[in-house]
Amino acid sequence: MKDWVIGFIGAGSIAEAMIRGLLGASLVEPGKILVCNRSNNHRLKELSRSLGVSDRSTKAEVISESDLVILAVKPKDLPEVLLEIRPVVKQGQVFFSLAAGVSTAFIESVVGKQVQVIRAMPNTSCLVSESATAVCCGSMAVPETLELAVRIFQCVGKTVVVPEHQLDAVTGLSGTGPAYVYLLVEGMIRAGIELGLDPGVARDLVIQTVIGSAKMLAVTGEDPVVLRQKVTSPGGTTQAGIKVLSDRGFNEAVVQAIHRAAERSRELGSLITPPHKNPHDTPHATSQKLIDNC
């Protein structure tokens, strides 16, 4: 893989995390990573300076020079990007898409060539190399390409393979999951402050509590129900606190939040449809229709 050229279309925080992961694992040389961005040339120059990657001014340059292209753009921007790069895409080229809700079939259809598409759903914890990422393959991707995807995304955390129809569930669970944890942490810190703790002390205690609890789950392998029962003595402080959460429907609220996020992922995906060009459509007009639908 060190001989591969990997191109990134999009230079946001997720792209940077993946680049750092690839370089940290020595999977590719810095000079064989190409990056372009819709705007913000300063961002490109900074990545080039700090990481040694090569910036490119156009998407066409990235496509024409790369063996693997990582589409690190927002879902609403992907239709326009695909239409723009379609003329320079090579038969059999490999694409990894990070766009939530956009199917591999959609990408294959818009590109209009036999390309290998892998769809991935990382989460923001990839910024600290602790992402929970799920990947799936399109109709033309071979097993070796899926294995390559797993290897690459393992550079930024834990990676699992799922069928594509489950990616909306993944989006609702682990894709949006960090926000639920942060919301819990917000509430715990607030409670600590209201009880008289210094804000910094409350923050440190809550963060370490979350880290320790997650590590207990990972290291022991025990069911969370069992671990919860082990710290819940009858008539004790934990039981008193959990009763309040149960009475307020805490567990059910979490379950419903994940269901709704997954449902929203499906809704957003259904709004993106392949372009149907007619003689009066210019490429810009066609892409604009797609964007409006997003």
Side-chain angles (χ1 to χ4, degrees):
M1 185 179 166
K2 284 191 174 183
D3 294 329
W4 280 41
V5 176
I6 300 179
F8 282 81
I9 295 181
S13 56
I14 301 295
E16 180 179 354
M18 290 190 63
I19 292 169
R20 290 185 181 277
L22 287 166
L23 296 178
S26 299
L27 291 183
V28 64
E29 299 296 328
K32 290 186 178 294
I33 295 179
L34 314 180
V35 186
C36 75
N37 205 23
R38 181 171 58 180
S39 57
N40 196 348
N41 287 332
H42 174 74
R43 168 70 172 168
L44 289 179
K45 297 301 181 185
E46 177 57 28
L47 287 176
S48 178
R49 184 196 64 78
S50 61
L51 300 178
V53 300
S54 301
D55 60 286
R56 292 291 185 270
S57 58
T58 68
K59 302 177 187 67
E61 290 178 272
V62 172
I63 297 296
S64 61
E65 297 178 46
S66 300
D67 301 294
L68 164 63
V69 179
I70 297 177
L71 300 168
V73 301
K74 295 178 180 178
K76 69 181 182 65
D77 296 327
L78 189 57
E80 184 177 17
V81 168
L82 293 174
L83 285 173
E84 183 179 343
I85 67 175
R86 177 164 57 183
V88 291
V89 170
K90 295 171 282 190
Q91 200 83 352
Q93 200 162 17
V94 178
F95 287 85
F96 290 177
S97 172
L98 310 184
V102 183
S103 71
T104 58
F106 174 87
I107 296 171
E108 293 167 354
S109 173
V110 177
V111 170
K113 295 177 183 173
Q114 290 190 333
V115 293
Q116 297 189 62
V117 181
I118 298 292
R119 186 176 157 197
M121 176 48 60
N123 64 27
T124 55
S125 298
C126 67
L127 299 176
V128 291
S129 299
E130 291 293 349
S131 177
T133 303
V135 297
C136 69
C137 56
S139 64
M140 302 174 199
V142 298
E144 291 78 11
T145 302
L146 184 59
E147 290 173 10
L148 175 65
V150 171
R151 188 179 177 194
I152 286 176
F153 285 100
Q154 280 178 338
C155 294
V156 292
K158 186 176 182 63
T159 304
V160 300
V161 177
V162 299
E164 185 163 11
H165 71 268
Q166 292 183 354
L167 269 196
D168 290 319
V170 170
T171 301
L173 182 65
S174 57
T176 60
Y180 310 143
V181 176
Y182 300 147
L183 187 61
L184 173 63
V185 168
E186 285 179 45
M188 292 177 71
I189 292 174
R190 173 187 164 190
I193 294 171
E194 290 177 352
L195 289 169
L197 292 176
D198 176 84
V201 170
R203 175 184 168 88
D204 288 346
L205 289 173
V206 172
I207 290 174
Q208 185 55 41
T209 298
V210 172
I211 291 172
S213 301
K215 192 168 184 178
M216 281 288 290
L217 287 164
V219 173
T220 67
E222 289 199 89
D223 190 286
V225 173
V226 173
L227 290 176
R228 174 173 58 78
Q229 290 172 342
K230 286 183 176 181
V231 297
T232 308
S233 303
T237 58
T238 304
Q239 186 179 63
I242 285 179
K243 185 178 187 306
V244 174
L245 292 176
S246 297
D247 290 345
R248 298 293 181 92
F250 175 80
N251 195 274
E252 185 61 24
V254 171
V255 172
Q256 290 304 312
I258 293 170
H259 276 279
R260 179 64 188 113
E263 180 183 30
R264 184 56 180 160
S265 178
R266 288 190 293 271
E267 291 171 356
L268 292 173
S270 68
L271 295 176
I272 302 178
T273 56
H276 299 288
K277 293 185 67 177
N278 65 58
H280 303 292
D281 275 344
T282 63
H284 174 74
T286 303
S287 62
Q288 189 59 52
K289 289 178 183 177
L290 289 171
I291 294 165
D292 291 342
N293 284 337
C294 297

